[in-house]
């Protein structure tokens, strides 16, 4: 048995959903450990597209147990809608297939209202680029010890007390500070009583369940959302998400002991993208021929927001930061096929900031914005890759590119994706095989 963590190594949108789907074949449990419905996993299976925001993508396998850990924050309306959408496609989700931590926090209507109000109040150039899903305000309440947990839905008296206090406080801020409309307690309590009835059978103790699974010799796969450089502590703050996205949070966000983690696989897009605001040293600006080509060929739009992703060359500085922060044991390189047809490829090996060399992302956000990439150049390849099914059949230049990424980071690819479909993936080393 093995326990494997999968994390994004850039600014999210690296293609984690597809890699998690592949590795789920070898797992018994699939655990989501952080984030909320501000992230999306897109899968293409047999030509059909599935987008998940909260439920682990392993739900497409009927014999797997999917787990939503305590580190996740849950919008119950979105979760239930995902379950309903699956049911419409003939995949009814049962409590045997899905376990939700009683300690996960709930995104409430006032969180969403506050999220939008705060972002709108920021001056141009100061905006974070929030999705408006209520993620930040929910995590603020969690840390402030005034949050509402999933387990509170099983005790509506406790839930009602917490809600009453929260609505009074949030309405004061909404109306006085932002001039927004207040929320009605009665409408919220009625809505969440309905949610409670539907979700109660799925709620339990995730830490205990995972410990039992480990002792029974089960394979456990942990999946994160977003990417390493959106981590609240280690990312390009304040242009980050509101949770810890790195591998260490797999244990905190699920109640699983760190000594039991065997592998950490980092999802690494063959180029770099970012959605929203924040530093992006290797960005090719909108209107750049190559940047626009990557955006179009890679279908670089956010699965959650539909926003255009900013595109740029591969950044080895970002990748090396991810290696260090996550303790990566392997890479899953995605969207290698998108680079086909480019005559020359660039890789940023370091930065210069006001003439000073940097081998890591500057901690100072002003300096991070000023970082100028130092590039090296490699030959590209013309052949299209989606029909390739073995590493040996890749063009020589593509293999050289992968080898260079390995040399620069010290981490070898375990998986290489050569197209969007489930079958267009080369498994070089199975992390569950030991």
């Amino acid at each position: 048995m093995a326990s494997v963590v999968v994390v994004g190594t850039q600014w999210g949108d690296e293609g984690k959903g597809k890699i998690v789907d592949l590795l789920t074949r070898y797992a018994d449990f699939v655990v989501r450990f952080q984030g909320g419905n501000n992230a999306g996993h897109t899968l293409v299976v047999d030509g059909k597209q599935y987008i998940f925001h909260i439920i682990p993508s392993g739900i497409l396998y009927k014999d797997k147990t999917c787990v939503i850990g305590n580190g996740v924050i849950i919008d119950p309306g979105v979760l239930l809608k995902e379950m309903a959408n699956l049911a419409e496609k003939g995949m009814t989700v049962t409590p045997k297939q899905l376990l939700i931590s009683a300690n996960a926090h709930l995104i409430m209507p006032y969180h969403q209202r506050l999220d939008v109000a705060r972002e709108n109040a920021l001056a141009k150039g100061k905006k974070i680029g929030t999705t408006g899903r209520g993620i930040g305000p929910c995590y603020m309440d969690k840390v402030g010890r005034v949050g509402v947990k999933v387990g509170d839905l099983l005790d509506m008296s406790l839930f009602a007390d917490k809600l009453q206090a929260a609505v009074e406080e949030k309405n004061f801020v909404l109306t006085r500070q932002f001039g927004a409309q207040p929320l009605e307690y009665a409408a919220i309590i009625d809505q969440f009583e309905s949610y409670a009835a539907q979700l109660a059978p799925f709620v339990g103790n995730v830490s205990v369940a995972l410990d039992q699974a480990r002792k029974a010799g089960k394979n456990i796969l942990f999946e994160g959302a977003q990417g390493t450089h959106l981590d609240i502590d280690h990312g390009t703050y304040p242009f980050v998400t509101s949770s810890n996205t790195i591998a260490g949070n797999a244990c905190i966000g699920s109640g699983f002991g760190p000594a039991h983690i065997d592998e950490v696989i980092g999802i690494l897009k063959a180029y770099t993208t970012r959605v929203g605001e924040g530093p992006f040293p290797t960005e090719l600006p909108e209107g750049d021929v190559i940047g626009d080509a990557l955006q179009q060929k890679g279908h670089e739009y956010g699965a959650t927001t539909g926003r255009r992703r900013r595109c740029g060359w591969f950044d080895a500085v970002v990748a090396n930061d991810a290696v260090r922060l996550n303790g990566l044991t392997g890479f899953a390189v995605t969207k290698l096929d998108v680079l086909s047809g480019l005559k020359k490829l660039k890789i940023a090996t370091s930065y210069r900031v006001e003439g000073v060399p940097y081998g890591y992302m500057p901690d100072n956000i002003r300096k991070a914005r000023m970082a100028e990439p130092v590039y090296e150049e490699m030959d590209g390849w013309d052949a299209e890759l989606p029909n390739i099914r073995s590493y040996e059949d890749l063009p020589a230049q593509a293999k050289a590119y992968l080898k260079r990424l390995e040399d620069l980071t010290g981490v070898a690819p375990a998986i290489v994706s050569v197209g969007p479909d489930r079958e267009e993936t080369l498994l070089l080393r199975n992390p569950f095989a030991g």
Side-chain angles (χ1 to χ4, degrees), residues 1-6 23-31 210 213-222 256-265 329 429-434:
M1 72 93 174
S3 296
V4 177
V5 180
V6 171
L23 294 178
T24 295
R25 301 177 188 179
Y26 311 99
D28 301 295
F29 284 71
V30 184
V31 185
L210 293 179
R214 179 186 65 81
K215 290 176 178 176
K218 303 296 185 182
N219 283 339
I220 305 173
L221 177 62
F222 296 86
F256 193 77
H260 305 310
I261 299 297
D262 300 294
E263 294 257 11
V264 182
I265 302 298
T329 59
R429 180 178 68 82
N430 186 347
F432 282 109

Side-chain angles (χ1 to χ4, degrees), residues 179-214:
Q181 291 296 311
L183 290 145
E184 294 184 10
Y185 167 85
I188 298 174
I189 194 77
D190 287 347
Q191 183 181 48
F192 276 76
E193 282 179 347
S194 173
Y195 292 158
Q198 296 175 76
L199 292 176
F202 298 89
V203 180
N205 190 311
V206 162
S207 180
V208 170
L210 293 179
D211 192 54
Q212 291 173 343
R214 179 186 65 81

Side-chain angles (χ1 to χ4, degrees), residues 152-163 185 189:
D152 297 336
L153 293 174
L154 308 184
D155 183 343
M156 287 308 295
S157 176
L158 173 62
F159 179 87
D161 288 344
K162 284 189 170 185
L163 180 63
Y185 167 85
I189 194 77

Side-chain angles (χ1 to χ4, degrees), residues 139-274:
Y139 274 118
M140 288 169 67
D141 277 1
K142 176 179 178 176
V143 175
R145 295 171 293 182
V146 293
V148 182
K149 300 199 294 185
V150 170
D152 297 336
L153 293 174
L154 308 184
D155 183 343
M156 287 308 295
S157 176
L158 173 62
F159 179 87
D161 288 344
K162 284 189 170 185
L163 180 63
Q164 183 70 57
V167 168
E168 289 178 6
E169 177 193 352
K170 307 309 181 189
N171 277 345
F172 180 86
V173 175
L174 284 167
T175 58
R176 299 295 184 89
Q177 183 175 351
F178 298 111
Q181 291 296 311
L183 290 145
E184 294 184 10
Y185 167 85
I188 298 174
I189 194 77
D190 287 347
Q191 183 181 48
F192 276 76
E193 282 179 347
S194 173
Y195 292 158
Q198 296 175 76
L199 292 176
F202 298 89
V203 180
N205 190 311
V206 162
S207 180
V208 170
L210 293 179
D211 192 54
Q212 291 173 343
R214 179 186 65 81
K215 290 176 178 176
K218 303 296 185 182
N219 283 339
I220 305 173
L221 177 62
F222 296 86
E223 63 166 317
Q226 288 95 24
T228 294
H229 288 268
L230 292 176
D231 187 278
I232 187 67
D233 287 300
H234 303 287
T236 48
Y237 189 92
F239 302 99
V240 293
T241 192
S242 299
S243 61
N244 290 109
T245 60
I246 62 174
N249 199 29
C251 299
I252 299 169
S254 63
F256 193 77
H260 305 310
I261 299 297
D262 300 294
E263 294 257 11
V264 182
I265 302 298
I267 314 303
L268 186 72
K269 194 177 287 186
Y271 48 101
T272 312
T273 63
R274 179 166 194 167

Side-chain angles (χ1 to χ4, degrees), residues 260-330:
H260 305 310
I261 299 297
D262 300 294
E263 294 257 11
V264 182
I265 302 298
I267 314 303
L268 186 72
K269 194 177 287 186
Y271 48 101
T272 312
T273 63
R274 179 166 194 167
V275 170
E277 306 297 326
F280 184 178
T282 65
E283 180 176 12
L284 296 166
E286 190 170 358
D288 180 272
V289 174
I290 294 177
D292 287 351
L294 293 174
Q295 196 270 328
Q296 292 297 323
K297 188 173 182 179
H299 304 289
E300 296 296 355
Y301 295 92
T304 297
T305 64
R307 290 184 293 181
R308 181 188 189 277
R309 294 177 188 144
R310 300 152 63 191
C311 296
W313 294 116
F314 183 84
D315 191 330
V317 177
V318 164
N320 274 308
D321 282 349
V323 170
R324 183 185 72 253
L325 291 166
N326 294 290
L328 297 182
T329 59

